[in-house]
Amino acid sequence: MNPIVSVFAASPDRGRGLARDMAVRWALAESGQGYEIRPLSFAELKTAQHKARQPFGQIPTFEADGVSLFESGAIVLHIAETHGLLPTDHAARARAIAWMFAAVSTIEPVIVEREVAVLLEGDKPWTAERLPMLEARLRLRLDDLAAWLNEKNWLEGEFSAGDIMMVCVLRRPAVALLMGDYPVLAAYVARAEARPAFRIAFAEQLARFEASRG
């Protein structure tokens, strides 16, 4: 039986592949695993039924073979462990998992903070003074990541789940605006987006958004 993945019935990203189910869809496509979707409205996300699967009323969730998971990173890790998206070498496997954590714990928080400052605090008197500090923090992380990648194609040897999580983070709008200053990162994201599995996952989530528009 195919896994069931909960997604937005009508994604607020308008089909740009920025919602957090994208990493899950991509990991499943890389593994060749089919899946079913459970499209949910914003109201349905807050129902007791959904919060029994996802305590915070968010997407995605994942259900397969008696396993019920929430949090995109945890779901991608589960898929990676069961479908070969991690290196077989013990040390390399541990490093790839470390990059998954780096994506969501080190890179993404500074990106989200920068986006929140613009989207939700743009009219506050302190925002103009705060934005340069937030951008400097973001650039520091991007500088370090670009230095690590340098001439590498992927974070740790072969493509892995670590790259899935990192590229999904780097596709967020706050980073996209800075990519002209980071050709190494821009090339990294482009390589990932050229993968057949990424294209499949992107097309599937875009089709879902277009269907939601009737």
Side-chain angles (χ1 to χ4, degrees), residues 20-89:
R20 295 184 188 275
D21 62 285
M22 180 63 192
V24 176
R25 291 176 181 270
W26 185 5
L28 288 167
E30 289 282 355
S31 69
Q33 171 70 61
Y35 62 97
E36 308 294 331
I37 63 166
R38 180 187 291 115
L40 298 173
S41 67
F42 288 104
E44 288 170 327
L45 290 176
K46 303 308 177 184
T47 62
Q49 183 179 16
H50 180 64
K51 293 185 83 171
R53 294 185 293 264
Q54 217 293 359
F56 305 103
Q58 300 172 321
I59 60 100
T61 64
F62 173 93
E63 297 160 81
D65 301 324
V67 174
S68 180
L69 290 173
F70 62 99
E71 291 295 331
S72 58
I75 297 169
V76 171
L77 178 57
H78 175 73
I79 296 167
E81 289 180 326
T82 54
H83 290 89
L85 296 181
L86 291 170
T88 54
D89 175 77

Side-chain angles (χ1 to χ4, degrees), residues 181-202:
D181 296 336
Y182 294 93
V184 168
L185 299 183
Y188 172 58
V189 172
R191 276 193 299 277
E193 291 178 335
R195 292 180 68 85
F198 178 91
R199 294 181 177 183
I200 290 169
F202 185 90

Side-chain angles (χ1 to χ4, degrees), residues 14 40 44 46 68 73 90-91 99 107 139 147 189 205:
R14 303 185 64 81
L40 298 173
E44 288 170 327
K46 303 308 177 184
S68 180
H90 177 73
W99 280 111
I107 304 295
R139 284 183 177 274
V189 172
Q205 64 80 38

Side-chain angles (χ1 to χ4, degrees), residues 107-130:
I107 304 295
E108 187 173 40
V110 293
I111 296 172
V112 172
E113 191 174 16
R114 172 69 169 76
E115 291 175 348
V116 167
V118 173
L119 295 175
L120 301 182
E121 301 174 358
D123 60 343
K124 304 300 182 184
W126 63 78
T127 300
E129 184 176 348
R130 189 164 174 253

